[in-house]
Structure formats: structure tokens, C-alpha cells
Amino acid sequence: MNNAKAAMIERKALIFNVQKYNMYDGPGIRTLVFFKGCPLRCKWCANPEGLEKKYQVLYKRNSCIDCGACVSVCPVGIHSISKQNRHEVNRSIECTGCRKCQEVCTQAALSIVGEVKTISELMEIIEQDREFYTVSGGGVTLGGGEVTMQSEFAANLLMVCKQEGINTAIETCGYAKLDAMLQMSEFTDLFLYDIKHIDPERHYKLTGVHNERILENLKELLHRRYNVKIRMPLLKGINDSQEEIERVIAFLMPFRDYKNFKGIDLLPYHKLGVNKYTQLGKEYPIEGDPSLTDEDLDRIEGWIKKYEFPVTVVRH
């Protein structure tokens, strides 16, 4: 191995999970690498531990026995025992990621989110499932968080995967500089690209950013003939109206017959991430239950099929 390649595979990124045997984020059986950090703050985010590009403490209050073992080992004083003999987490202090509190917690009430990984370390994990990729037509998907926030590392990881003959995909909100998107595109077999709301002001209220850059980047990828599959997170009463769906269809209509346009995935709202907000000391932003029924999803699927778009409902 030459010095340049050796240096490249030792580059580092902050990762918060590596999920094997994923069947939802790209073709076949996949390994999904979650990058920490995201420029959006979607109210329904199922991975709140991926929003901030820093180490964070997940704390399960119901598992804690208030023993105080974590207090004495934390180098920055995040943990304490109150006068009422209850464990408390000081969220204003930044975690260093040492994991000493996690190691001494006998009840698994504490875990540290975020781990620095090199390309070589990730490739060691990825290579373990090569046989599954080969049999199923699967591969590796980079997600998050938002992968474009660590685009240089991601591009190099994708390049190494391609050199090893592994299919690649990225899952993105699209809110990034075009250069960052194109840096990864050369080594990406498929973009899984979110359209969360077509109206820029409504998009801002739901995610914290406007969507003009997102839609322009999407058009650029499609015009440049990169493979793109649209993903639409759906929440009842928020972005499931016929008017909203038809506005998305109108935007995508010029690309419907492009060979690199791979259709639309509908992603119904789910509550799988709700408990993690409490564990991070945050309030869950969604009020009520915006879940869609099977009838709702069938109706939305029908609206899209009417325009002869390939569409799939992804049910976890």
C-alpha cells in the first residue's frame, strides 16, 4: 500500500451507528453507516442522536439505580447526585467521549453516542457482509444525521467501497453545497434523496431551513444523470394532502422518463425514535399522532401512480 492510500484510509469521521442487514435504504441487504451532524431540525426526526456533530450522553432514567459510580469517573463533571439522591446529567457540559461512565454503569443506563472511525475500521466491518451483498445485490449506504456534513471523508469511503466492488448509496436531505454533493457522486451508485415539503416557507417551519438549495441540487443530480430515488417522509395533516403530492409530482414530471430517475419511496411516519429524545434530555417536537393509515397510504400511492411514476411504500 502506498503512503497516500495509507493516509486516506486512516482519515477519521464521527459516526453514531453502523447497522447491518438493513433492507430499507437501497437495494438488497445493506450495511448502513450513520454520520453524526445534520443542518436540518426536522420535527419528526427518528435519529435525534445524529443531529449534533459531537459526543452525547443517552440516559435511561428508568434503568438507573442512582449508585453514583459514573460521578467519580467523568473527567468533566457531567454526572452528579442531587440532594434527593438522584442521578442528574448536566447537558450544558460537553461530553469528551471517553465512555468511562458507560463502562462503570452496571445497569446499562448510560451510553455515549458518537465514535471516531477511520475508513479502514469501517471497511473491516463492511467487508464482513460481502457475501450478503453479492447474493442480494446489496451494498453500503451512508446516512445520518447528514452525510454531506462530512463529505470529504464520505467521498473517500465511497471510493474505497467502489474499488472493492461494493455497491454504494447515500441517503441525503440535499441541503449542502453542490460541490459536496458532486464530490461524492462519482462514487455513488444511488442517491436516496428526501423531499420533505415542496413549499419553501412550510419547509422552513418543519425543518429549520428553506428548500431552494435542496431542489436545485436535486435538479443538478438528475440533469447530470446520477441515479436518484426520491424519498418522501409522510405525516398526516403535514405533507399528505393531494395538493402537496401533486406539487411534488409537477416538480418531478420533467424527469419522469430519465433512466436515472428511479422512482419514489413513501416513508410513513413512525415513533421508533421518540424515547431517544427523553434519553437526550430533549422534548419531542411533534404533538399528537401524525401516523397514516393503510388507507391513507394507498390513496397517496394512487395519486402518484396516476402520473405513471414508480412508487413504493416503505413499511418498517
Side-chain angles (χ1 to χ4, degrees):
M1 183 185 301
N2 62 41
N3 291 338
K5 185 173 182 181
M8 178 188 70
I9 65 173
E10 294 309 313
R11 287 180 177 173
K12 298 176 181 180
L14 192 59
I15 306 297
F16 71 91
N17 193 14
V18 179
Q19 182 186 90
K20 292 187 168 191
Y21 315 119
N22 178 283
M23 301 286 288
Y24 304 104
D25 300 289
I29 297 172
R30 309 192 71 81
T31 297
L32 182 52
V33 181
F34 293 85
F35 284 67
K36 222 167 180 319
C38 183
L40 273 60
R41 291 296 182 268
C42 303
K43 293 183 181 297
W44 58 87
C45 181
N47 293 319
E49 74 275 34
L51 295 177
E52 298 183 42
K53 193 180 171 185
K54 64 180 183 179
Y55 298 108
Q56 289 174 283
V57 178
L58 277 174
Y59 172 53
K60 299 177 183 177
R61 173 65 245 176
N62 291 339
S63 299
C64 182
I65 58 173
D66 302 306
C67 68
C70 55
V71 177
S72 59
V73 298
C74 179
V76 290
I78 290 174
H79 306 283
S80 63
I81 297 295
S82 71
K83 292 179 180 179
Q84 291 75 36
N85 292 318
R86 285 174 60 86
H87 174 272
E88 294 182 348
V89 179
N90 188 336
R91 301 285 179 181
S92 66
I93 300 175
E94 191 159 319
C95 176
T96 64
C98 71
R99 287 180 163 75
K100 291 179 180 178
C101 62
Q102 178 179 309
E103 292 165 3
V104 300
C105 182
T106 59
Q107 306 303 306
L110 292 168
S111 58
I112 304 305
V113 182
E115 190 171 0
V116 173
K117 292 284 189 183
T118 64
I119 289 176
S120 60
E121 288 171 333
L122 289 173
M123 288 304 299
E124 185 176 343
I125 299 170
I126 290 165
E127 286 282 3
Q128 292 169 4
D129 293 328
R130 179 182 284 272
E131 185 177 344
F132 293 104
Y133 311 149
T134 303
V135 171
S136 68
V140 173
T141 299
L142 309 186
E146 173 52 43
V147 63
T148 58
M149 289 192 71
Q150 301 184 67
S151 60
E152 185 174 351
F153 179 95
N156 282 287
L157 176 58
L158 292 164
M159 180 176 66
V160 174
C161 287
K162 294 305 296 175
Q163 289 172 345
E164 297 299 323
I166 297 172
N167 179 274
T168 60
I170 71 166
E171 177 177 58
T172 180
C173 70
Y175 190 79
K177 292 182 179 179
L178 180 60
D179 287 348
M181 304 290 290
L182 297 179
Q183 184 179 25
M184 296 183 292
S185 61
E186 182 180 352
F187 311 107
T188 302
D189 292 311
L190 178 66
F191 284 87
L192 301 168
Y193 201 105
D194 286 357
I195 294 183
K196 302 175 191 293
H197 207 289
I198 202 70
D199 179 79
E201 292 305 321
R202 185 66 174 146
H203 192 281
Y204 178 80
K205 290 179 181 178
L206 293 170
T207 71
V209 304
H210 291 93
N211 65 357
E212 290 88 350
R213 175 186 291 183
I214 294 169
L215 298 179
E216 284 302 312
N217 284 344
L218 174 56
K219 288 192 286 187
E220 281 290 333
L221 291 175
L222 287 165
H223 281 308
R224 292 171 187 248
R225 296 302 195 259
Y226 294 112
N227 293 325
V228 177
K229 176 172 277 192
I230 300 302
R231 312 194 98 191
M232 296 177 62
L234 292 176
L235 294 87
K236 194 174 185 68
I238 293 177
N239 60 357
D240 65 324
S241 69
Q242 186 168 0
E243 178 187 6
E244 169 66 13
I245 300 302
E246 291 190 346
R247 286 184 67 186
V248 173
I249 292 299
F251 176 84
L252 294 173
M253 187 62 75
F255 310 104
R256 183 187 62 183
D257 297 324
Y258 281 31
K259 289 184 178 180
N260 60 313
F261 177 75
K262 301 301 181 181
I264 299 171
D265 280 347
L266 303 180
L267 309 180
Y269 168 82
H270 59 74
K271 296 182 177 180
L272 298 179
V274 172
N275 288 337
K276 290 186 282 190
Y277 284 82
T278 302
Q279 293 170 21
L280 288 167
K282 299 177 181 291
E283 290 187 11
Y284 188 59
I286 292 285
E287 296 180 1
D289 183 5
S291 301
L292 290 98
T293 65
D294 288 339
E295 288 182 355
D296 293 329
L297 294 168
D298 289 343
R299 183 170 58 253
I300 294 168
E301 187 178 9
W303 292 337
I304 297 172
K305 283 184 174 178
K306 182 175 68 174
Y307 294 95
E308 300 181 352
F309 277 83
V311 57
T312 303
V313 179
V314 179
R315 291 179 168 91
H316 287 269

